[in-house]
Amino acid sequence: MMKQSSSISSYWIWPSPVGDLLLVDNGKGLCRLQFQDGAHPLAIDVQWKKQRSPFAAVINELEAYFSGRLERFTIPLSLEGTAFQRAVWRALKTIPYGKTVSYGAISKKIGNPKASRAVGAANGQNPVSIIVPCHRVIGSTGKLVGYGGGLPIKTALLELEQSKQ
């Protein structure tokens, strides 16, 4: 299990249509959305407070997303990462709902066309999957590759989005 810093103040586990999601807030915004049913669930720090109230807006937007009524998330995020990771995550947020792009296209978008592998690594470190839509990134051949929640969840998210278009 992965361990997160104890500076985070609250968490909630939300039973989504693709499995339990651990939502974590550090007082500045959502800093983690983790698939708990997958291979890498996040360990819950004993100092975190289990409380739903900080996540009301997150849950409302996730419910709207899963029902096909929301294409772009607006909730406050508090993401920590390197400058390169943050650039990749910003680029991910520009991928249109229901569309896919390659790792190479993201590397070009951030001005580093030879960084496809590094983009893949940053994509894999995305702390708020679904909200920062890393599921919309595919291999250069058009095949689905890698996803923290597993390829069946990546497929389900893409099918949800493409069915609403």
Side-chain angles (χ1 to χ4, degrees):
M1 287 194 153
M2 293 173 58
K3 187 97 167 106
Q4 187 76 14
S5 161
S6 63
S7 65
I8 296 167
S9 60
S10 57
Y11 78 95
W12 189 254
I13 296 178
W14 184 65
S16 84
V18 293
D20 286 348
L21 301 178
L22 173 64
L23 308 173
V24 185
D25 185 286
N26 64 4
K28 297 181 225 165
L30 186 73
C31 61
R32 197 77 169 167
L33 183 153
Q34 183 77 29
F35 295 101
Q36 290 300 92
D37 297 336
H40 305 287
L42 186 67
I44 296 171
D45 191 301
V46 295
Q47 295 179 15
W48 297 351
K49 291 163 105 176
K50 184 176 183 179
Q51 51 186 358
R52 188 181 193 281
S53 59
F55 303 101
V58 176
I59 292 168
N60 285 340
E61 287 197 7
L62 285 167
E63 288 173 341
Y65 170 80
F66 281 109
S67 70
R69 296 179 287 114
L70 181 83
E71 295 184 3
R72 186 173 302 273
F73 292 90
T74 61
I75 54 142
L77 301 175
S78 179
L79 307 181
E80 292 184 16
T82 67
F84 182 82
Q85 288 171 327
R86 290 191 313 269
V88 169
W89 300 336
R90 280 190 300 275
L92 295 176
K93 290 172 69 175
T94 68
I95 304 170
Y97 180 87
K99 304 294 182 197
T100 57
V101 300
S102 69
Y103 294 99
I106 295 293
S107 67
K108 287 176 188 157
K109 184 170 186 71
I110 64 169
N112 201 339
K114 295 183 180 183
S116 296
R117 287 180 186 240
V119 165
N123 202 44
Q125 294 298 313
N126 173 12
V128 288
S129 239
I130 302 173
I131 293 172
V132 172
C134 54
H135 60 277
R136 296 177 188 157
V137 182
I138 59 174
S140 60
T141 63
K143 296 204 182 222
L144 298 186
V145 293
Y147 190 62
L151 289 181
I153 291 177
K154 184 173 189 164
T155 300
L157 295 172
L158 290 172
E159 286 175 353
L160 166 77
E161 292 180 9
Q162 291 164 356
S163 74
K164 300 298 179 185
Q165 297 231 301

